[in-house]
């Protein structure tokens, strides 16, 4: 180990925060790199101090004032795990403007404020790492920025929302008849769903993740609002995300040797035009994406010269996501810099308007025209 210990404040002690705090308290030695600074948990911001102390958090560490922890000169690294837009956005921006290092799992903040936060970090020398924002425990942003840096990415696509994939899988399980509400309740119980799961089922969580993947693949921050989420229906656009996918539609897809999954896709044309969409899509049953079931995520990168690379693993949940957060903390301790690594800067306003991929469709009995992919 080298250098002074890095003093860490964790903001938020929910599903992921709890796992990160326990790891920092119980596994500190395992989290020390041979060639990096050690990590010391100094503070945890919680909603309710009394309840946190009763749950076993050291009283000397807990606070209900996250802004004070961010401003505290004794804190070197801020780990933002509160979720949602505000106050998380302002806290992250404040830490970066002070030149601090930030680790976050907050895909909403990174997708909606990425250009601004990147500009601040580049200006102050602050570090922003967000591997946990996409794919839960799957390392995908780091490899895109570093190991695949010699490639030109042509397309990136994947199943990036565990909650919807859990529900769509339940719809196709012959042993458990489809019950949308029951499957969603189970996903919530297991800690996969967002606090407000409408963002999961309407595809907005996947849109945020696609915007972040596109930043690493194409060096532009897309406007989340420009990403399509509704397939065409018989009389105009169908519902967003998986809100109008029915058991009958899944059965229609199955008769065609396919399965409907929520797929996020972004690609760049030769002219630089970016196409991006998050759509319920009919995939071959036996394809790698078609076989990706339950809460698993899978992200595929088509790039030149490497060809197709697949990243597969647990896409949500406290334990899996804490793996990515802790990995980012260890990277900071080793001086690894921000998640975008040496990729070109993307600090301006949103790039070119996003268009929707034009693909053949499977027309279900409901009239919904599900795009077909391989
Ligand atoms: N609600 C998200 C999901 C959590 O279901 O994938 C992980 O980002």
């Amino acid at each position: 180990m080298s250098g002074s210990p890095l003093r860490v404040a964790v903001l938020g002690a929910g599903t992921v925060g709890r796992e990160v705090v326990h790891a920092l308290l119980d596994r500190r030695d395992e989290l020390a790199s041979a060639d990096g600074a050690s990590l010391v948990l100094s503070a945890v911001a919680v909603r309710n101090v009394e309840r946190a102390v009763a749950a076993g958090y050291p009283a000397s560490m807990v606070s209900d004032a996250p802004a004070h922890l961010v401003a505290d000169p004794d804190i070197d690294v801020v780990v933002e795990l509160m979720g949602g837009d505000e106050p998380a956005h302002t806290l992250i921006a404040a830490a970066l403007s002070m030149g601090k290092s930030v680790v976050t799992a907050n895909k909403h903040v990174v997708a909606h404020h990425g250009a601004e936060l990147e500009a601040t970090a580049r200006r102050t020398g602050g570090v922003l790492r967000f591997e946990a924002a996409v794919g839960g425990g799957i390392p995908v942003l780091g490899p895109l920025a570093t190991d695949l840096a010699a490639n030109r990415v042509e397309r990136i696509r994947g199943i990036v929302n565990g909650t919807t994939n859990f529900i769509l899988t339940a719809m196709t399980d012959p042993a458990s008849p489809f019950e949308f509400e029951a499957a969603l309740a189970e996903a919530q119980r297991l800690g996969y769903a967002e606090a407000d799961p409408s963002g999961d089922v309407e595809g907005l969580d996947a849109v945020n993740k696609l915007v972040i993947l596109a930043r690493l693949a194409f060096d532009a921050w897309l406007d989340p609002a420009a990403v399509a989420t509704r397939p065409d229906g018989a009389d105009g656009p169908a519902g967003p995300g998986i809100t109008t996918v029915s058991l009958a539609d899944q059965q229609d897809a199955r008769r065609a040797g396919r399965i409907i999954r929520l797929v996020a896709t972004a690609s760049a044309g030769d002219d630089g035009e970016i196409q991006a969409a998050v759509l319920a899509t009919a995939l071959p049953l036996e394809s790698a994406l078609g076989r990706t079931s339950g809460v698993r995520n899978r992200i595929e990168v088509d790039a030149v010269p490497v060809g197709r690379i697949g990243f597969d693993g647990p896409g949500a949940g406290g334990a899996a996501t804490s793996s990515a957060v802790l990995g980012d903390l260890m990277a900071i301790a080793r001086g690894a810099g921000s998640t975008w690594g040496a990729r070109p800067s993307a600090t301006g306003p949103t790039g070119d308007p996003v268009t929707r991929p034009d693909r053949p469709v499977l027309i279900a009995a409901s009239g919904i025209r599900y795009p077909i992919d391989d």
Side-chain angles (χ1 to χ4, degrees), residues 107 132-133 136 160-164 192-194 200 205 209 297 315-317 321:
K107 51 258 163 156
V160 291
N161 182 269
T163 299
T164 47
Y192 303 150
E194 299 302 303
D200 291 302
D205 177 80
K209 292 164 176 169
N297 283 187
T321 308

Side-chain angles (χ1 to χ4, degrees), residues 49-331:
V49 168
E50 278 175 23
R51 206 183 312 149
V53 172
Y57 285 67
S60 59
M61 276 189 193
V62 288
S63 161
D64 57 6
H68 290 175
L69 300 185
V70 169
D72 185 343
D74 287 338
I75 296 296
D76 304 303
V77 187
V78 172
V79 181
E80 186 281 309
L81 299 172
M82 306 165 89
D85 191 65
E86 293 294 356
H89 164 228
T90 298
L91 293 166
I92 293 171
L96 292 175
S97 67
M98 287 180 254
K100 297 193 179 195
S101 297
V102 176
V103 177
T104 182
N106 193 324
K107 51 258 163 156
H108 174 91
V109 164
V110 177
H112 285 77
H113 306 286
E116 165 219 318
L117 296 174
E118 181 173 339
T120 303
R122 288 186 186 272
R123 178 171 53 78
T124 64
V127 168
L128 178 60
R129 294 194 68 93
F130 44 91
E131 181 65 62
V134 180
I138 307 170
V140 59
L141 304 182
L144 266 174
T146 56
D147 310 279
L148 295 172
N151 288 266
R152 179 170 47 80
V153 178
E154 295 182 326
R155 178 174 78 159
I156 188 155
R157 66 170 185 165
I159 293 168
V160 291
N161 182 269
T163 299
T164 47
N165 208 50
F166 189 86
I167 294 169
L168 291 172
T169 301
M171 289 171 94
T172 56
D173 181 354
S176 85
F178 167 55
E179 289 177 46
F180 185 99
E181 292 302 334
L184 175 57
E186 181 65 356
Q188 288 177 295
R189 190 186 70 77
L190 294 167
Y192 303 150
E194 299 302 303
D196 173 4
S198 60
D200 291 302
V201 297
E202 292 178 7
L204 303 178
D205 177 80
V207 166
N208 289 339
K209 292 164 176 169
L210 184 63
V211 167
I212 297 169
L213 287 166
R215 159 65 188 97
L216 276 300
F218 306 123
D219 301 316
W221 288 104
L222 306 181
D223 175 3
V227 178
T229 58
R230 294 171 183 264
D232 293 329
D235 307 309
I242 67 163
T243 54
T244 43
V245 179
S246 64
L247 180 56
D249 288 356
Q250 277 289 26
Q251 288 166 343
D252 286 347
R254 193 171 190 88
R255 277 189 281 276
R258 293 184 174 270
I259 183 167
I260 297 170
R261 298 211 177 274
L262 188 66
V263 180
T265 309
S267 55
D270 291 337
D271 56 0
E273 181 189 77
I274 295 178
Q275 300 188 328
V278 170
L279 294 171
T281 300
L283 299 167
L285 274 166
E286 291 311 319
S287 61
L289 283 173
R291 287 199 310 267
T292 301
S293 61
V295 73
R296 290 186 83 75
N297 283 187
R298 179 178 173 86
I299 297 133
E300 293 180 344
V301 181
D302 292 318
V304 179
V306 70
R308 178 167 295 175
I309 303 276
F311 300 87
D312 195 307
T321 308
S322 75
S323 162
V325 172
L326 293 164
D328 272 350
L329 271 172
M330 294 173 74

Side-chain angles (χ1 to χ4, degrees), residues 8 10 20-26 28 31 39 41 326 329:
V8 178
V10 176
V20 170
V21 166
H22 283 131
L24 288 169
L25 290 174
D26 303 341
R28 191 178 155 196
L31 300 177
L39 296 161
L41 180 65
L326 293 164
L329 271 172

